[in-house]
Amino acid sequence: MGVLGDRKKARLDELARASASDRGGISLVRDAVRRLRRNPVAIVGAAIVGLFVLVAIFAPLIAPHDPVQRFDELTKNLTVDSIPGGSSEFPLGSDPLGRDFLSRMIHGARQTLFVGVVATLIGLALGVLIGAIAGAFGGWVDVVLMRLTDVMLALPSLLLAITLVAMASRSSQWTVIFAVAIVSVPIFARLLRGSMLAQRESDHVLAARALGVKERNIVLRHMLPNSLTAVIVQATLTFAVAILDAAALSFLGLGDPDINRAEWGLMLGVDGQRYFEVRPELAYYPALAIIVVALGFTLLGEAMREAIDPKNRR
Protein backbone atom coordinates (compact mmCIF):
# COMPACT_ATOMS: atom_id res chain seq x y z
CA MET A 1 0.00 0.00 0.00
CA GLY A 2 2.89 2.29 0.72
CA VAL A 3 4.40 1.77 -2.72
CA LEU A 4 1.00 2.21 -4.37
CA GLY A 5 0.37 5.36 -2.35
CA ASP A 6 3.75 6.78 -3.36
CA ARG A 7 2.99 6.05 -7.01
CA LYS A 8 -0.39 7.82 -6.78
CA LYS A 9 1.22 10.78 -5.06
CA ALA A 10 3.93 10.97 -7.70
CA ARG A 11 1.31 10.80 -10.44
CA LEU A 12 -0.71 13.57 -8.82
CA ASP A 13 2.41 15.71 -8.49
CA GLU A 14 3.18 15.12 -12.16
CA LEU A 15 -0.32 16.13 -13.20
CA ALA A 16 -0.14 19.23 -11.02
CA ARG A 17 3.16 20.28 -12.62
CA ALA A 18 1.74 19.66 -16.08
CA SER A 19 -1.33 21.70 -15.25
CA ALA A 20 0.79 24.56 -13.90
CA SER A 21 2.95 24.63 -17.01
CA ASP A 22 0.03 24.28 -19.40
CA ARG A 23 -0.72 27.63 -21.00
CA GLY A 24 -3.65 26.37 -23.02
CA GLY A 25 -6.26 27.52 -20.49
CA ILE A 26 -7.78 30.94 -21.03
CA SER A 27 -10.26 33.03 -19.10
CA LEU A 28 -13.63 34.13 -20.47
CA VAL A 29 -12.51 37.74 -20.80
CA ARG A 30 -9.29 36.85 -22.62
CA ASP A 31 -11.17 34.48 -24.89
CA ALA A 32 -13.69 37.24 -25.72
CA VAL A 33 -10.89 39.74 -26.44
CA ARG A 34 -9.16 37.21 -28.68
CA ARG A 35 -12.35 36.61 -30.62
CA LEU A 36 -12.96 40.34 -30.99
CA ARG A 37 -9.45 40.88 -32.34
CA ARG A 38 -10.09 38.22 -34.99
CA ASN A 39 -13.54 39.48 -35.93
CA PRO A 40 -13.57 41.93 -38.87
CA VAL A 41 -16.97 43.25 -37.80
CA ALA A 42 -15.63 44.08 -34.33
CA ILE A 43 -12.56 45.76 -35.83
CA VAL A 44 -14.65 47.97 -38.11
CA GLY A 45 -17.04 48.85 -35.29
CA ALA A 46 -14.20 49.60 -32.86
CA ALA A 47 -12.47 51.78 -35.46
CA ILE A 48 -15.62 53.84 -36.03
CA VAL A 49 -16.31 54.17 -32.31
CA GLY A 50 -12.68 55.02 -31.53
CA LEU A 51 -12.54 57.72 -34.22
CA PHE A 52 -15.85 59.18 -33.02
CA VAL A 53 -14.70 59.30 -29.39
CA LEU A 54 -11.35 60.88 -30.30
CA VAL A 55 -13.03 63.56 -32.42
CA ALA A 56 -15.49 64.27 -29.61
CA ILE A 57 -12.80 64.52 -26.92
CA PHE A 58 -10.38 66.66 -28.93
CA ALA A 59 -13.01 68.70 -30.77
CA PRO A 60 -11.68 72.09 -29.54
CA LEU A 61 -8.22 71.19 -30.87
CA ILE A 62 -9.41 69.69 -34.16
CA ALA A 63 -12.03 72.27 -35.15
CA PRO A 64 -10.48 75.00 -37.29
CA HIS A 65 -12.87 77.73 -36.03
CA ASP A 66 -15.20 78.65 -33.20
CA PRO A 67 -18.49 76.83 -33.88
CA VAL A 68 -20.65 79.79 -32.75
CA GLN A 69 -18.70 82.59 -34.45
CA ARG A 70 -20.18 84.26 -37.53
CA PHE A 71 -17.63 85.12 -40.21
CA ASP A 72 -17.85 88.13 -42.50
CA GLU A 73 -16.50 86.07 -45.40
CA LEU A 74 -19.56 83.85 -45.12
CA THR A 75 -22.27 86.31 -44.11
CA LYS A 76 -21.56 88.75 -46.95
CA ASN A 77 -22.61 86.13 -49.52
CA LEU A 78 -25.39 84.71 -47.36
CA THR A 79 -28.98 85.09 -48.60
CA VAL A 80 -32.24 83.26 -48.15
CA ASP A 81 -31.73 81.45 -51.45
CA SER A 82 -27.96 81.02 -51.31
CA ILE A 83 -25.68 79.58 -48.65
CA PRO A 84 -21.92 79.59 -49.39
CA GLY A 85 -20.39 76.19 -50.11
CA GLY A 86 -16.93 74.82 -49.45
CA SER A 87 -13.74 76.84 -49.80
CA SER A 88 -10.11 76.54 -48.78
CA GLU A 89 -10.73 78.22 -45.42
CA PHE A 90 -14.15 76.66 -44.84
CA PRO A 91 -14.07 73.14 -46.37
CA LEU A 92 -17.76 72.38 -45.73
CA GLY A 93 -18.96 75.91 -46.29
CA SER A 94 -21.35 77.90 -44.16
CA ASP A 95 -24.45 77.13 -42.17
CA PRO A 96 -27.54 79.39 -42.52
CA LEU A 97 -26.13 81.86 -39.97
CA GLY A 98 -22.66 82.27 -41.47
CA ARG A 99 -20.82 79.88 -39.15
CA ASP A 100 -18.22 77.32 -40.16
CA PHE A 101 -20.13 74.11 -40.82
CA LEU A 102 -17.09 71.84 -40.44
CA SER A 103 -16.37 73.20 -36.96
CA ARG A 104 -19.98 72.68 -35.98
CA MET A 105 -19.88 69.11 -37.26
CA ILE A 106 -16.77 68.38 -35.18
CA HIS A 107 -18.22 69.93 -32.03
CA GLY A 108 -21.48 68.11 -32.77
CA ALA A 109 -19.63 64.84 -32.17
CA ARG A 110 -18.88 65.95 -28.60
CA GLN A 111 -22.47 66.94 -27.96
CA THR A 112 -23.81 63.72 -29.46
CA LEU A 113 -21.39 61.67 -27.35
CA PHE A 114 -22.47 63.52 -24.21
CA VAL A 115 -26.18 62.95 -24.86
CA GLY A 116 -25.67 59.29 -25.73
CA VAL A 117 -23.41 58.50 -22.77
CA VAL A 118 -25.51 60.27 -20.14
CA ALA A 119 -28.81 58.85 -21.45
CA THR A 120 -27.38 55.34 -21.60
CA LEU A 121 -25.87 55.54 -18.11
CA ILE A 122 -29.11 56.82 -16.57
CA GLY A 123 -31.14 54.13 -18.32
CA LEU A 124 -28.58 51.50 -17.31
CA ALA A 125 -28.61 52.55 -13.65
CA LEU A 126 -32.41 52.59 -13.39
CA GLY A 127 -32.76 49.36 -15.37
CA VAL A 128 -30.19 47.55 -13.25
CA LEU A 129 -31.92 48.74 -10.07
CA ILE A 130 -35.35 47.54 -11.21
CA GLY A 131 -34.05 44.29 -12.69
CA ALA A 132 -31.97 43.49 -9.60
CA ILE A 133 -34.91 44.05 -7.24
CA ALA A 134 -37.24 41.96 -9.40
CA GLY A 135 -34.73 39.15 -9.85
CA ALA A 136 -33.63 39.09 -6.22
CA PHE A 137 -37.02 39.18 -4.49
CA GLY A 138 -39.30 37.53 -7.03
CA GLY A 139 -42.95 37.01 -6.03
CA TRP A 140 -45.33 39.94 -6.15
CA VAL A 141 -42.45 42.44 -6.38
CA ASP A 142 -41.28 40.78 -9.57
CA VAL A 143 -44.84 40.70 -10.97
CA VAL A 144 -45.51 44.40 -10.33
CA LEU A 145 -42.18 45.63 -11.70
CA MET A 146 -42.31 43.43 -14.79
CA ARG A 147 -45.88 44.46 -15.61
CA LEU A 148 -44.77 48.09 -15.50
CA THR A 149 -41.90 47.34 -17.85
CA ASP A 150 -44.28 45.43 -20.13
CA VAL A 151 -46.45 48.53 -20.41
CA MET A 152 -43.42 50.60 -21.41
CA LEU A 153 -42.23 47.97 -23.88
CA ALA A 154 -45.69 47.84 -25.45
CA LEU A 155 -45.22 51.42 -26.71
CA PRO A 156 -42.83 52.20 -29.57
CA SER A 157 -39.68 53.69 -28.07
CA LEU A 158 -39.73 56.85 -30.16
CA LEU A 159 -43.42 57.46 -29.45
CA LEU A 160 -42.79 57.05 -25.73
CA ALA A 161 -39.84 59.46 -25.89
CA ILE A 162 -41.94 62.02 -27.78
CA THR A 163 -44.67 61.71 -25.15
CA LEU A 164 -42.23 62.24 -22.29
CA VAL A 165 -40.64 65.29 -23.92
CA ALA A 166 -44.04 66.75 -24.77
CA MET A 167 -45.06 66.47 -21.10
CA ALA A 168 -42.22 68.80 -20.09
CA SER A 169 -43.10 72.46 -19.73
CA ARG A 170 -40.07 73.47 -21.78
CA SER A 171 -37.91 71.31 -24.00
CA SER A 172 -34.18 71.31 -23.36
CA GLN A 173 -31.13 69.12 -23.70
CA TRP A 174 -31.89 67.41 -20.40
CA THR A 175 -35.50 66.63 -21.28
CA VAL A 176 -34.18 64.79 -24.34
CA ILE A 177 -31.60 62.93 -22.24
CA PHE A 178 -34.13 61.81 -19.63
CA ALA A 179 -36.71 60.82 -22.26
CA VAL A 180 -34.18 58.68 -24.12
CA ALA A 181 -32.95 57.21 -20.82
CA ILE A 182 -36.45 56.23 -19.65
CA VAL A 183 -37.10 54.48 -22.95
CA SER A 184 -34.10 52.19 -22.40
CA VAL A 185 -34.92 51.31 -18.77
CA PRO A 186 -37.28 48.36 -19.46
CA ILE A 187 -34.74 46.77 -21.81
CA PHE A 188 -32.03 46.69 -19.15
CA ALA A 189 -34.50 45.69 -16.44
CA ARG A 190 -35.86 42.75 -18.43
CA LEU A 191 -32.42 41.54 -19.41
CA LEU A 192 -30.93 41.69 -15.91
CA ARG A 193 -34.01 40.15 -14.33
CA GLY A 194 -33.84 37.16 -16.68
CA SER A 195 -30.14 36.69 -16.03
CA MET A 196 -30.62 36.85 -12.27
CA LEU A 197 -33.49 34.35 -12.35
CA ALA A 198 -31.17 31.97 -14.17
CA GLN A 199 -28.49 32.58 -11.55
CA ARG A 200 -30.88 31.75 -8.66
CA GLU A 201 -30.85 28.07 -9.60
CA SER A 202 -27.14 27.83 -10.40
CA ASP A 203 -24.91 25.49 -8.39
CA HIS A 204 -22.80 28.16 -6.71
CA VAL A 205 -25.89 30.07 -5.49
CA LEU A 206 -27.48 26.88 -4.14
CA ALA A 207 -24.21 26.01 -2.43
CA ALA A 208 -24.02 29.45 -0.86
CA ARG A 209 -27.55 29.10 0.49
CA ALA A 210 -26.72 25.65 1.86
CA LEU A 211 -23.76 27.14 3.71
CA GLY A 212 -26.00 29.74 5.31
CA VAL A 213 -24.81 32.82 3.41
CA LYS A 214 -27.18 35.74 3.81
CA GLU A 215 -29.51 36.41 0.87
CA ARG A 216 -28.21 39.97 0.51
CA ASN A 217 -24.65 38.75 0.12
CA ILE A 218 -25.75 36.10 -2.36
CA VAL A 219 -27.46 38.73 -4.50
CA LEU A 220 -24.66 41.31 -4.35
CA ARG A 221 -21.64 38.99 -4.52
CA HIS A 222 -22.85 36.10 -6.66
CA MET A 223 -26.00 36.75 -8.65
CA LEU A 224 -25.60 40.39 -9.66
CA PRO A 225 -21.92 40.34 -10.78
CA ASN A 226 -22.47 37.22 -12.87
CA SER A 227 -25.54 38.76 -14.53
CA LEU A 228 -24.05 42.09 -15.57
CA THR A 229 -22.07 40.91 -18.59
CA ALA A 230 -25.07 40.73 -20.92
CA VAL A 231 -26.32 44.08 -19.62
CA ILE A 232 -23.00 45.80 -20.34
CA VAL A 233 -23.01 44.43 -23.87
CA GLN A 234 -26.59 45.63 -24.31
CA ALA A 235 -25.49 49.11 -23.20
CA THR A 236 -23.26 49.32 -26.29
CA LEU A 237 -26.23 48.54 -28.52
CA THR A 238 -28.48 50.90 -26.59
CA PHE A 239 -25.99 53.70 -27.12
CA ALA A 240 -26.66 53.53 -30.86
CA VAL A 241 -30.40 53.65 -30.25
CA ALA A 242 -29.96 56.60 -27.86
CA ILE A 243 -28.13 58.58 -30.55
CA LEU A 244 -30.87 57.85 -33.10
CA ASP A 245 -33.70 58.70 -30.68
CA ALA A 246 -32.06 61.94 -29.57
CA ALA A 247 -31.49 62.94 -33.20
CA ALA A 248 -35.10 62.09 -34.03
CA LEU A 249 -36.41 64.27 -31.19
CA SER A 250 -34.23 67.17 -32.31
CA PHE A 251 -35.32 66.64 -35.91
CA LEU A 252 -38.97 66.88 -34.83
CA GLY A 253 -38.31 70.15 -33.02
CA LEU A 254 -38.56 68.64 -29.53
CA GLY A 255 -34.88 68.88 -28.69
CA ASP A 256 -32.64 71.61 -27.36
CA PRO A 257 -33.94 75.01 -28.60
CA ASP A 258 -30.49 76.63 -28.33
CA ILE A 259 -29.47 77.29 -31.95
CA ASN A 260 -25.87 77.95 -30.90
CA ARG A 261 -25.44 74.39 -29.60
CA ALA A 262 -23.77 72.18 -32.19
CA GLU A 263 -25.60 68.84 -32.14
CA TRP A 264 -26.10 66.59 -35.15
CA GLY A 265 -29.80 65.98 -34.62
CA LEU A 266 -30.46 69.68 -34.14
CA MET A 267 -28.43 70.54 -37.22
CA LEU A 268 -30.33 67.96 -39.23
CA GLY A 269 -33.73 69.15 -38.05
CA VAL A 270 -33.38 72.94 -37.93
CA ASP A 271 -30.91 73.71 -40.71
CA GLY A 272 -31.07 70.63 -42.89
CA GLN A 273 -34.83 70.42 -43.11
CA ARG A 274 -35.47 74.13 -43.54
CA TYR A 275 -32.79 74.75 -46.17
CA PHE A 276 -32.78 71.38 -47.90
CA GLU A 277 -33.68 72.80 -51.31
CA VAL A 278 -31.12 75.59 -51.00
CA ARG A 279 -28.20 73.48 -49.73
CA PRO A 280 -28.95 69.79 -49.13
CA GLU A 281 -25.44 69.20 -47.71
CA LEU A 282 -26.68 70.74 -44.46
CA ALA A 283 -28.78 67.60 -44.03
CA TYR A 284 -26.50 65.07 -45.71
CA TYR A 285 -23.48 65.54 -43.45
CA PRO A 286 -25.24 65.27 -40.05
CA ALA A 287 -27.39 62.39 -41.27
CA LEU A 288 -24.35 60.51 -42.55
CA ALA A 289 -22.47 61.11 -39.29
CA ILE A 290 -25.40 59.81 -37.21
CA ILE A 291 -25.78 56.72 -39.38
CA VAL A 292 -22.07 55.86 -39.36
CA VAL A 293 -21.67 56.30 -35.59
CA ALA A 294 -24.83 54.30 -34.83
CA LEU A 295 -23.59 51.59 -37.20
CA GLY A 296 -20.22 51.51 -35.42
CA PHE A 297 -21.75 50.97 -31.98
CA THR A 298 -24.15 48.37 -33.39
CA LEU A 299 -21.36 46.38 -35.04
CA LEU A 300 -19.21 46.52 -31.92
CA GLY A 301 -22.10 45.56 -29.65
CA GLU A 302 -23.14 42.60 -31.79
CA ALA A 303 -19.54 41.40 -31.98
CA MET A 304 -19.18 41.69 -28.18
CA ARG A 305 -22.39 39.75 -27.66
CA GLU A 306 -21.20 37.00 -29.98
CA ALA A 307 -17.77 36.85 -28.35
CA ILE A 308 -19.02 36.74 -24.77
CA ASP A 309 -22.09 34.52 -25.10
CA PRO A 310 -21.35 31.11 -26.66
CA LYS A 311 -25.04 30.68 -27.60
CA ASN A 312 -24.78 33.59 -30.05
CA ARG A 313 -21.69 32.29 -31.85
CA ARG A 314 -22.09 31.25 -35.45
Side-chain angles (χ1 to χ4, degrees), residues 148-160:
L148 292 176
T149 59
D150 287 342
V151 172
M152 298 177 65
L153 288 173
L155 298 174
S157 61
L158 183 58
L159 179 60
L160 179 59

Side-chain angles (χ1 to χ4, degrees), residues 123-139:
L124 176 63
L126 295 177
V128 166
L129 178 62
I130 294 174
I133 293 175
F137 290 96

Side-chain angles (χ1 to χ4, degrees), residues 37-143:
R37 292 175 60 183
R38 296 178 179 179
N39 190 343
V41 174
I43 295 174
V44 173
I48 295 174
V49 171
L51 180 61
F52 168 66
V53 172
L54 288 176
V55 171
I57 294 176
F58 298 103
L61 302 177
I62 300 175
H65 302 287
D66 187 344
V68 300
Q69 181 180 355
R70 301 184 183 185
F71 295 90
D72 295 334
E73 302 93 317
L74 299 175
T75 55
K76 68 180 181 181
N77 298 322
L78 190 66
T79 64
V80 177
D81 299 325
S82 176
I83 298 177
S87 64
S88 58
E89 187 176 0
F90 305 100
L92 297 186
S94 170
D95 77 340
L97 296 179
R99 299 171 295 191
D100 179 33
F101 196 67
L102 175 60
S103 298
R104 293 187 64 77
M105 283 292 300
I106 294 174
H107 280 267
R110 164 173 284 198
Q111 193 62 31
T112 301
L113 178 65
F114 173 76
V115 172
V117 167
V118 175
T120 302
L121 290 179
I122 294 175
L124 176 63
L126 295 177
V128 166
L129 178 62
I130 294 174
I133 293 175
F137 290 96
W140 67 269
V141 176
D142 180 27
V143 173

Side-chain angles (χ1 to χ4, degrees), residues 195-273:
S195 298
M196 291 193 66
L197 288 181
Q199 288 288 328
R200 292 183 68 174
E201 304 302 326
S202 60
D203 293 338
H204 66 280
V205 172
L206 295 177
R209 286 199 179 98
L211 292 174
V213 180
K214 294 182 179 180
E215 190 67 24
R216 181 183 62 181
N217 293 333
I218 292 176
V219 171
L220 296 179
R221 296 183 181 180
H222 298 280
M223 294 172 60
L224 186 58
N226 291 321
S227 302
L228 286 177
T229 302
V231 178
I232 295 174
V233 173
Q234 180 62 40
T236 306
L237 297 171
T238 303
F239 190 95
V241 179
I243 292 176
L244 294 175
D245 286 345
L249 292 175
S250 297
F251 178 80
L252 295 174
L254 298 174
D256 191 353
D258 186 3
I259 61 174
N260 288 324
R261 195 184 302 276
E263 195 266 322
W264 290 342
L266 186 65
M267 296 164 66
L268 176 62
V270 176
D271 299 338
Q273 185 180 17

Side-chain angles (χ1 to χ4, degrees), residues 128-191:
V128 166
L129 178 62
I130 294 174
I133 293 175
F137 290 96
W140 67 269
V141 176
D142 180 27
V143 173
V144 171
L145 292 177
M146 288 304 102
R147 294 300 77 79
L148 292 176
T149 59
D150 287 342
V151 172
M152 298 177 65
L153 288 173
L155 298 174
S157 61
L158 183 58
L159 179 60
L160 179 59
I162 292 174
T163 303
L164 293 174
V165 173
M167 291 173 60
S169 59
R170 180 178 177 272
S171 62
S172 66
Q173 182 186 41
W174 286 103
T175 59
V176 172
I177 290 176
F178 282 114
V180 174
I182 295 300
V183 167
S184 64
V185 168
I187 300 175
F188 292 121
R190 269 286 181 186
L191 185 60

